[in-house]
Structure formats: C-alpha cells, structure tokens
C-alpha cells in the first residue's frame, strides 16, 4: 500500500536560500525537480555575483567604481532593458538613481537624511542619458552609478522559469522576496493561489489564482528606516525629487508573463502613485494586470483579475475594480 502510494505521488523538491538580500523559496514537481532546483539556485547566486552593487567585483561594482567596464552579455542586455523601462515609465523606474540611493543608504547599516543641496547636486547625475551602452562596453558620465536592485530579482525569476522549462518542469512555485513565479498549475490541476501580503498586518490582503505568471510586489512597508525625528523613509526613491516616495499607495503588485518587466513596473507604479499608475495601466493594459492597496484602505484590481481574486473573510479593505 505504502509503496504504491509513493509510486503514484508525483516527485517534488523544495529549497530555500538567502540571496539578493532576501529569503527565497523554490518548489518544483516532476522527475527532474531536484536537479532543476540545484541549477536554479546556482544561477541565482551567479546573478547576484554579477549584478549586485554591494558585491565587490560584480559587473555593476566595477562599472560604478571606474565608470567604464566591459560587462557580460547578460548584464549589458539587462541594462539595456532597464533603460527601456526608464523610457516607458517616463523615468519613474530609473537605475541611474544609485547615487541618491547611496546617499540615503536606506537599506544599509548607516542610513541618513541628506540635505537638500546634496540631493540637488546628486540629481544632476540621474537620468538615462548618462549611460552609454555599446555592446559589452558601458560608460557612465562622471558622478553617475547604477543600481539594478529594482529589477534583478525579477530577472532572476525569468531565469528560473527558463531553467524549469529546460528541465521539463510543468508545475512549480518560486518566491524570490516579493517576486513570485508560478509554473503551470498545482499538481492537482488547480491554479496556484498567490497571496498578496497585507502591508499593514501579518496576514494576506488578497489571494489571486494564477498559472504560468509572475507576480511582483513593491511597497514601502518592508525596507525603510526611521529618522531621529520619527519620520519614516522607505527605500523607493522618486527620481524626479531625489526623496523617498510619499505614495498614496501602500503596495503595488504587477502580474505579467515577464518577471523583469513586472519588477520594473511594480517599482515604477509605486513611484507614480494611484492616478499615475492607473493611467499607465490603461495605456498598457494588454501587457500586465495590477493589484494596488491605497493608504485610505482600498484594494484596486484590474478587470482581468475579477474571477481570480478572492477577499479574505473579514477584510478591512474595500475591493474595487479599476475601469478600463
Ligand atoms: P524590492 O527590492 O524590495 O523587491 P523594488 O523592486 O521596488 O523592491 O526595488 C527597490 C530597490 O530599487 C531599492 O532598494 C533601490 O535599490 C532601487 N530603487 C529605488 N528607487 C528606484 C527607482 N525609482 N527606480 C529604480 N530603482 C530604484
Ligand atoms: Mg522592482
């Protein structure tokens, strides 16, 4: 009896790792599950060594130190994509924000509040026009630096998806910090239920049923620091002002078939705020869906999600569909 049960149950494997400054968990089903996860973990670590601005000798560190570097094909491609997302979001997502991110040091051990003159001076080094990309050769203008932290985990989730595909994995789920990828359906054939965390509590704010999708959340509620005067500064910067975003949103979840794009857009929509984010979605509604939680207690979602989203019992959020 036991033997036949084991033989019937589909093989599965799970792994946890800490990489890219966050906890990650990966689960895959199928006969290649274990090897797929081993490869995926190795790949994530390799990406961190290549893309992190806090790892010495990464492509990004070399570039930021000497302003001129020959980077890997992969880094060059991702940087090129990042510049395109900057253009598409009118600079709300901008990897040249690095000098400002460094000045605030919000996710570092020594965060501080820079004065307005310092921010104004640093802002002159922000903008895609300061990045010169020519094949693998990248040059930055004086005083400039890049930070792929708003896109690297999303890119890593795309890489995991392609490793799963290479190994013939047809069911799995992956969470790289706030970056979720679900492969196929659950082994029982139902869609995966992806929980959207409640930014104001320990529980979840909504569940979304998804298959073969990326769901990436950005918000100010997890990475922040509290200054001496009690002001809370969260880690996403408005590239137009150089200050941490004072958003009317608590979180933005972008759901799409591309993890890199979902990561860039979740950061960008958080910067844009409710109005800007809705306008941006309307102009790009064929590319992604979105769930937004506002500071005044509404949970907004796009019409495609109507049959996929569920409210937890006793929710305090007012669920509303966004008009097309
Ligand atoms: P998380 O890294 O917590 O998943 P995000 O994907 O939203 O969240 O990325 C935020 C990180 O991206 C910041 O910690 C910072 O390194 C960088 N960043 C901050 N503001 C911006 C911005 N406007 N555009 C691009 N990257 C940003
Ligand atoms: Mg992001």
């Amino acid at each position: 009896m036991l033997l036949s049960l084991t033989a019937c149950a589909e093989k599965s494997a799970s792994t946890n790792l800490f990489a890219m400054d966050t906890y990650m968990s990966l689960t895959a089903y199928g006969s290649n599950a274990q090897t797929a996860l081993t490869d995926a973990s190795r790949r994530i670590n390799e990406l961190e060594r290549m893309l992190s601005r806090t790892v010495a000798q990464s492509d990004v560190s070399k570039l930021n130190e000497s302003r001129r570097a020959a980077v890997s094909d992969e880094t060059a491609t991702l940087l090129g994509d990042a510049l395109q997302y900057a253009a598409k979001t009118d600079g709300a997502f901008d990897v040249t924000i690095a000098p400002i991110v460094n000045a605030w040091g919000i996710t570092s051990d020594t965060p501080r509040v820079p004065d307005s003159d310092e921010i104004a001076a640093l802002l002159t080094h922000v903008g895609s026009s300061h990045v010169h990309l020519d094949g693998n050769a990248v040059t930055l203008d004086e005083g400039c630096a890049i930070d792929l932290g708003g896109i690297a985990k999303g890119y890593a989730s795309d890489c995991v998806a392609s490793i799963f595909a290479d190994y013939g994995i047809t069911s799995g789920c992956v969470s790289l910090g706030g970056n979720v990828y679900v492969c196929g359906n659950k082994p029982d054939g139902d869609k995966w239920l992806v929980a959207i965390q409640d930014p104001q509590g320990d529980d979840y704010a909504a569940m979304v049923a998804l298959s073969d999708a990326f769901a990436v959340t950005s918000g100010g509620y997890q990475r922040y620091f509290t200054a001496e005067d009690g002001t809370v500064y969260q880690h996403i910067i408005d590239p137009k002002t150089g200050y941490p975003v004072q958003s009317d949103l608590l979180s933005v979840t972008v759901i799409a078939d591309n993890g890199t794009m979902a990561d860039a857009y979740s950061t960008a929509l958080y910067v844009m705020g409710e109005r800007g984010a809705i306008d941006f979605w309307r102009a790009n509604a064929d590319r992604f869906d979105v769930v937004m939680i506002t500071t005044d207690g509404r949970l907004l979602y796009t019409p495609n999600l109507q049959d996929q989203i569920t409210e937890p019992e006793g929710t305090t959020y007012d669920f509303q569909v966004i008009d097309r």
Side-chain angles (χ1 to χ4, degrees):
M1 182 65 190
L2 252 180
L3 262 180
S4 64
L5 266 182
T6 326
C8 287
E10 183 152 26
K11 262 194 166 174
S12 73
S14 288
T15 189
N16 295 299
L17 66 151
F18 187 86
M20 300 183 166
D21 201 25
T22 193
Y23 290 96
M24 302 185 166
S25 65
L26 299 86
T27 298
Y29 296 85
S31 49
N32 292 327
Q34 188 55 59
T35 22
L37 292 191
T38 306
D39 252 33
S41 305
R42 194 182 299 138
R43 185 90 168 90
I44 290 167
N45 287 317
E46 175 190 273
L47 288 172
E48 179 174 26
R49 286 195 299 275
M50 187 164 73
L51 303 173
S52 170
R53 76 193 163 90
T54 56
V55 171
Q57 293 307 311
S58 72
D59 277 353
V60 170
S61 295
K62 283 193 276 186
L63 185 57
N64 287 346
E65 269 158 38
S66 39
R67 288 195 294 108
R68 187 183 293 271
V71 299
S72 67
D73 291 352
E74 214 173 1
T75 304
T77 305
L78 184 59
L79 184 54
D81 289 351
L83 296 176
Q84 288 196 9
Y85 292 127
K88 287 193 177 122
T89 62
D90 192 23
F93 175 82
D94 189 339
V95 295
T96 66
I97 196 71
I100 310 255
V101 169
N102 288 335
W104 285 91
I106 287 166
T107 58
S108 77
D109 295 335
T110 50
R112 67 187 182 89
V113 182
D115 66 39
S116 55
D117 289 346
E118 183 181 353
I119 289 175
L122 290 173
L123 267 181
T124 64
H125 305 302
V126 173
S128 295
S129 62
H130 297 296
V131 183
H132 312 282
L133 194 57
D134 179 11
N136 295 57
V138 190
T139 315
L140 302 177
D141 290 342
E142 179 137 23
C144 299
I146 59 162
D147 175 0
L148 297 177
I151 201 174
K153 282 177 284 179
Y155 178 66
S157 68
D158 282 329
C159 294
V160 171
S162 87
I163 289 171
F164 277 15
D166 289 347
Y167 281 97
I169 304 291
T170 52
S171 176
C173 61
V174 168
S175 171
L176 316 180
N179 293 237
V180 171
Y181 162 60
V182 291
C183 172
N185 289 320
K186 290 194 289 180
D188 68 6
D190 288 347
K191 287 184 175 188
W192 292 99
L193 285 180
V194 175
I196 295 178
Q197 199 179 324
D198 184 350
Q200 305 183 105
D202 299 329
D203 228 340
Y204 64 93
M207 283 288 196
V208 189
L210 297 173
S211 61
D212 285 319
F214 297 84
V216 180
T217 301
S218 283
Y221 59 96
Q222 260 172 343
R223 295 174 196 256
Y224 58 84
F225 95 98
T226 310
E228 274 169 24
D229 67 0
T231 311
V232 174
Y233 297 100
Q234 57 71 37
H235 70 139
I236 298 175
I237 309 281
D238 183 344
K240 294 211 159 56
T241 65
Y243 282 82
V245 176
Q246 300 277 342
S247 188
D248 53 3
L249 299 173
L250 294 174
S251 77
V252 178
T253 302
V254 170
I255 298 165
D257 62 3
N258 177 315
T260 309
M261 182 189 81
D263 199 359
Y265 284 179
S266 69
T267 306
L269 267 60
Y270 183 77
V271 172
M272 291 174 192
E274 178 181 340
R275 279 264 54 91
I278 290 176
D279 288 346
F280 186 80
W281 171 75
R282 285 188 181 133
N284 298 275
D286 52 332
R287 307 292 312 276
F288 66 94
D289 281 297
V290 62
V291 178
M292 300 192 280
I293 302 177
T294 65
T295 49
D296 63 4
R298 287 166 299 132
L299 189 149
L300 311 175
Y301 59 94
T302 48
N304 281 340
L305 299 175
Q306 222 148 3
D307 299 330
Q308 283 154 262
I309 197 160
T310 45
E311 307 182 18
E313 217 171 294
T315 181
T316 55
Y317 292 109
D318 180 9
F319 280 56
Q320 297 178 4
V321 188
I322 302 170
D323 295 333
R324 279 186 204 276

